[in-house]
């Protein structure tokens, strides 16, 4: 698959770059393609969770253990002391406890999910290849000018570079709907969670080897 290469002004340079069909031209109907992407996205989101949630159960609530009412004849359920979950300020029944949500996924499945996500974006014409560029200094306006040139200033945009560029990273960091990532760090969730992907030519060479 060949796509045009643009400059940062949004102009076609007349050159083209080849996107590897093994990465950008997968069959989205093959086997369990959709389920593979689902598993990878679920694992990514689960791994972001801190798992530090905690609520006090009955035995952890501070309060008297004196029985408030008699066992029978009160006209309601037995509720024991003031720490009962039935009362305001009482303990929580089976409340959340700290836990680790992390899970594992085979490397081959993760790689396949990433290829399928890139294929989906390529099919939707949401991948734009630009010439390699950098900024002389960190400046948010520099990125916004590029986004406006491609009419992406109101969309979620993922910038993909072959290597980390500090000036570009600092320029993008303050923009709520923009994210910069290195080609080697791409995953299915990051790819799918954007409306458009701006890839430099060097990053395409890295991704073609996935």
């Amino acid at each position: 698959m060949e796509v045009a290469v643009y400059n940062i002004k949004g102009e076609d340079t007349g050159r083209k770059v080849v996107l590897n069909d093994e990465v950008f031209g997968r069959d989205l109907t093959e086997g369990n393609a959709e389920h593979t992407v689902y598993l990878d996205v679920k694992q990514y989101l689960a791994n972001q969770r801190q798992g530090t949630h905690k609520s006090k159960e009955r035995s952890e609530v501070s309060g008297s253990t004196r029985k408030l009412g008699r066992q029978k004849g009160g006209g309601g359920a037995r509720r024991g002391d003031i720490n009962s979950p039935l009362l305001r300020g009482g303990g929580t029944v089976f409340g959340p406890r700290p836990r680790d949500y992390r899970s594992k996924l085979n490397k081959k499945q993760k790689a396949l999910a990433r290829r399928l996500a890139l294929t989906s974006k390529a099919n939707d014409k949401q991948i734009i290849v630009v010439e390699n560029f950098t900024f002389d200094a960190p400046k948010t306006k520099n990125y916004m000018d590029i986004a406006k040139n491609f009419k992406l200033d109101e969309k979620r945009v993922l910038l993909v570079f072959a290597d980390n560029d500090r000036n570009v990273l600092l320029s993008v960091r303050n923009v709520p709907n923009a994210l910069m990532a290195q080609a080697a760090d791409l995953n299915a969730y990051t790819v799918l969670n954007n409306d458009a992907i701006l890839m430099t030519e060097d990053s395409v060479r890295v991704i073609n080897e996935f």
Side-chain angles (χ1 to χ4, degrees), residues 15 23 33 46 48 56 62 101 130 145 157-158 161 166 185 196:
R15 296 185 292 108
V23 178
Q48 306 307 304
K56 290 186 177 181
S62 177
Y101 285 92
V130 297
D145 288 341
V157 180
L158 173 65
F161 278 68
R166 180 173 174 78
D185 296 334

Side-chain angles (χ1 to χ4, degrees), residues 41-98:
V41 170
K42 185 180 77 167
Q43 187 218 23
Y44 176 84
L45 293 175
N47 290 353
Q48 306 307 304
R49 299 185 67 174
Q50 289 184 323
T52 54
H53 41 35
K54 177 70 174 72
S55 67
K56 290 186 177 181
E57 297 190 353
R58 182 168 185 164
S59 62
E60 299 168 315
V61 175
S62 177
S64 171
T65 58
R66 179 177 67 87
K67 188 175 176 65
L68 297 178
R70 56 184 184 177
Q71 181 77 351
K72 295 178 180 295
R78 298 169 296 179
R79 59 187 188 185
D81 56 40
I82 200 170
N83 305 322
S84 170
L86 302 176
L87 299 176
R88 182 182 179 86
T92 301
V93 180
F94 302 127
R97 294 186 175 186

Side-chain angles (χ1 to χ4, degrees), residues 180-192:
M180 177 184 167
Q182 289 183 246
D185 296 334
L186 287 182
N187 58 70
Y189 177 82
T190 304
V191 171
L192 294 173

